Amino acid sequence: MFWDKKIETLKPAELQALQLKRLKKTLHLASNVEFYRDRLSGAGIKPSDIRTLEDIQKLPFTKKQDLRDGYPFGFFAVPLKEVVRIHTTSGTTGKPTVVGYTRKDLDSWAGLIARNMTMIGVTDNDVFQNMVNYGMFTGGLGFHYGAEMIGMTVIPSATGNTKRQIEMINDFGVTTIHCTPSYAMHLSEVAEETGVTFKTLKTGIFGAEPWSETLRSTLESRLGVTAYDSYGLSELFGPGVAFECPERDGLHIWHDSYLVEIIDPKTGEQLADGERGELVVTPLVKEAMPLLRYRTGDVTMLMEDGCLCGRSKKIARITGRSDDMLVIRGINVFPSQIEHVLLKIPEVGNQFMVYVDRINHLDEMTVEVEINREFFSGELADLAKIQKKVVKELHDVLELRTTVKLVEPGSLPRFEGKSKRVIDRRGEIF
Ligand code: DLL
């Protein structure tokens, strides 16, 4: 199913022409921003130097730190009067990044969400419960207006009060839910504890953080949904940048709205299709805050094969952020790999925490995971056996020795929004 079939299935030559036209317009808008004026003139680049899409490589990158330095409105290319909404990213350190939207931006953004949701077959017959934060986070209002544009019946339940969320799903006959995969896991646990099953649910849209294929199967069987991955970031409007189609083999990124490059994060050089690197995006339809070659920090690749659904090139699911990637004794570890291993071990639960320390100049990784009572006899020997198994399975996948601590069910933190499962204490003073 298509929301805008013509644009979603443009032939390569037509798409490239549209991209180039929009890139030039974006460059023109960006020249209203002092940061870009300085960067472009410093590099001796004039808008007329961009004649083909390949010429994008002449343009400077934009980094998250640049946006932070421009706090609050330094990257707005239109007068504040024309900015009708502001969101911020959930910055954990320092000032957050501010993003602004014109009325047209909000319309374009809702249109992208509508495309995504239509692609997976939801329609105005569906009832949609949006279980993410409705504040400065882009996930809440972003999906809200996209779902309303389709004509779905929208329940803006936001986060919190899981028992009430569960009640509403059944009372209102909800067919489609949206939340982070971490919250979906928690929701399914609470439903299981209270003996509730979901009769009307069909579709789960999960995103805003990396999650594994194993978590997908777990959520699908526990909630009775087909689970789709949704990717986005505030700097590129928010959610809606890329989304899985029913094939669920990679995410369609909307090439008419986002010009995509994959680069080697160390050299900045473009990589070929099929090569994994950092996703760099130049949004093509943003007005209030145009960005040039924005370094997302997210690790993925452009997939080589086309898709049965007829839409254009996909990106692979995001394995993590290049800056989230843990380097433990020289080995790269993504938290999603740990999740993948743990979810396959029935003796332990689905909740975990990872602590990284430096002890005697050596990186040490400790994984805390909840024991699954069903598989635990209460014998200490039994506990040791389970612990050994987890250590071995983690070692087989990560090629890394870890310390595993088994903890009581329910004792680890649960997350309503994005999870924070990794605590890296190596930088702390000791
Ligand atoms: O997380 C927007 C969003 C809301 C996406 C709801 C999907 C659903 P930010 O808070 O700015 O925006 O965080 C963006 O989250 O750079 C990725 O590192 C990560 N991320 C988002 N979606 C996914 C995903 C929203 N599906 C940052 N898989 C991005 C992996 C994701 N990581």
Side-chain angles (χ1 to χ4, degrees):
M1 282 170 65
F2 293 88
W3 177 254
D4 186 345
K5 186 161 186 184
K6 184 162 176 277
I7 208 97
E8 290 175 50
T9 56
L10 277 181
K11 300 262 175 314
E14 287 170 316
L15 177 64
Q16 282 164 17
L18 180 67
Q19 287 176 319
L20 186 61
K21 189 172 127 205
R22 290 183 170 176
L23 174 63
K24 286 181 177 170
K25 190 170 168 208
T26 299
L27 200 60
H28 180 71
L29 262 176
S31 63
N32 292 341
V33 177
E34 193 184 340
F35 170 87
Y36 286 124
R37 268 202 311 277
D38 291 352
R39 280 286 171 97
L40 293 171
S41 67
I45 301 162
K46 297 184 297 304
S48 57
D49 293 335
I50 304 300
R51 287 189 211 97
T52 68
L53 289 173
E54 281 66 47
D55 289 335
I56 194 168
Q57 293 177 77
K58 296 178 183 162
L59 299 177
F61 289 116
T62 312
K63 297 196 177 127
K64 198 168 182 77
Q65 188 56 45
D66 299 325
L67 301 188
R68 286 205 182 108
D69 294 345
Y71 180 87
F73 303 146
F75 275 79
F76 287 3
V78 297
L80 199 56
K81 190 174 177 307
E82 288 174 36
V83 175
V84 297
R85 169 116 52 88
I86 280 169
H87 282 285
T88 61
T89 62
S90 46
T92 44
T93 50
K95 295 270 193 207
T97 307
V98 179
V99 291
Y101 306 76
T102 61
R103 203 171 290 286
K104 184 153 175 256
D105 283 335
L106 289 182
D107 205 49
S108 308
W109 183 21
L112 287 173
I113 302 268
R115 264 194 220 179
N116 290 318
M117 291 174 92
T118 305
M119 176 166 71
I120 59 169
V122 299
T123 66
D124 54 3
N125 287 320
D126 282 288
V127 182
F128 176 61
Q129 190 157 318
N130 196 18
M131 298 184 284
V132 291
N133 181 310
Y134 263 68
M136 300 313 280
F137 179 57
T138 51
L141 290 178
F143 265 90
H144 184 97
Y145 287 109
E148 278 192 355
M149 194 179 252
I150 294 176
M152 298 172 87
T153 307
V154 180
I155 302 160
S157 65
T159 53
N161 202 346
T162 307
K163 288 202 174 118
R164 179 78 189 116
Q165 300 268 14
I166 291 171
E167 225 169 69
M168 282 197 287
I169 294 176
N170 280 339
D171 292 352
F172 299 160
V174 171
T175 60
T176 309
I177 52 169
H178 170 231
C179 57
T180 60
S182 310
Y183 189 63
M185 194 64 223
H186 179 53
L187 186 89
S188 75
E189 276 180 346
V190 176
E192 223 162 73
E193 274 161 28
T194 45
V196 177
T197 51
F198 299 110
K199 304 216 167 43
T200 51
L201 272 190
K202 287 187 307 200
T203 306
I205 298 169
F206 306 123
E209 61 183 359
W211 51 299
S212 62
E213 283 300 325
T214 332
L215 184 55
R216 188 203 300 267
S217 337
T218 309
L219 291 176
E220 290 194 331
S221 67
R222 287 181 141 207
L223 295 169
V225 294
T226 306
Y228 296 91
D229 191 7
S230 143
Y231 168 78
L233 57 158
S234 318
E235 298 88 324
L236 307 179
F237 283 152
V241 176
F243 214 88
E244 281 180 331
C245 70
E247 296 297 316
R248 295 187 304 153
D249 174 27
L251 289 83
H252 287 285
I253 186 154
W254 302 110
H255 295 280
D256 63 294
S257 304
Y258 301 105
L259 195 56
V260 176
E261 299 171 80
I262 305 289
I263 62 156
D264 177 332
K266 287 204 189 79
T267 63
E269 294 297 315
Q270 277 188 359
L271 297 175
D273 291 1
E275 287 182 336
R276 212 170 266 280
E278 181 178 346
L279 175 69
V280 171
V281 179
T282 304
L284 297 173
V285 291
K286 283 184 80 202
E287 279 187 346
M289 200 173 140
L291 293 171
L292 303 179
R293 303 188 86 196
Y294 186 65
R295 290 188 63 158
T296 65
D298 293 321
V299 179
T300 181
M301 63 179 177
L302 269 166
M303 293 170 71
E304 285 158 304
D305 299 330
C307 185
L308 291 176
C309 83
R311 293 178 183 83
S312 51
K313 235 180 215 167
K314 294 184 285 195
I315 53 168
R317 298 189 71 197
I318 310 283
T319 29
R321 295 182 52 79
S322 53
D323 47 9
D324 246 18
M325 188 177 72
L326 290 163
V327 183
I328 314 277
R329 280 175 256 141
I331 297 173
N332 296 348
V333 179
F334 285 108
S336 56
Q337 289 176 295
I338 299 172
E339 174 193 281
H340 182 73
V341 172
L342 296 178
L343 280 174
K344 284 211 280 210
I345 307 176
E347 291 91 337
V348 295
N350 310 297
Q351 303 290 342
F352 67 97
M353 287 294 293
V354 179
Y355 297 92
V356 189
D357 295 285
R358 185 156 291 147
I359 299 169
N360 295 332
H361 308 291
L362 262 190
D363 296 334
E364 297 292 343
M365 187 164 88
T366 306
V367 177
E368 283 187 357
V369 60
E370 291 179 0
I371 189 101
N372 185 346
R373 251 194 248 286
E374 266 177 55
F375 288 85
F376 179 45
S377 64
E379 297 290 325
L380 271 181
D382 202 16
L383 210 55
K385 222 162 81 190
I386 298 173
Q387 196 171 23
K388 223 166 129 187
K389 178 172 177 184
V390 180
V391 170
K392 181 179 178 307
E393 307 251 324
L394 283 171
H395 187 271
D396 287 350
V397 172
L398 308 177
E399 296 179 359
L400 197 71
R401 175 179 46 76
T402 51
T403 303
V404 169
K405 283 192 184 155
L406 300 175
V407 299
E408 283 279 307
S411 64
L412 292 179
R414 265 59 178 168
F415 301 94
E416 287 181 350
K418 290 175 197 265
S419 57
K420 290 189 188 69
R421 297 191 195 278
V422 179
I423 303 197
D424 192 339
R425 299 184 284 214
R426 285 175 294 185
E428 288 176 12
I429 299 161
F430 44 87

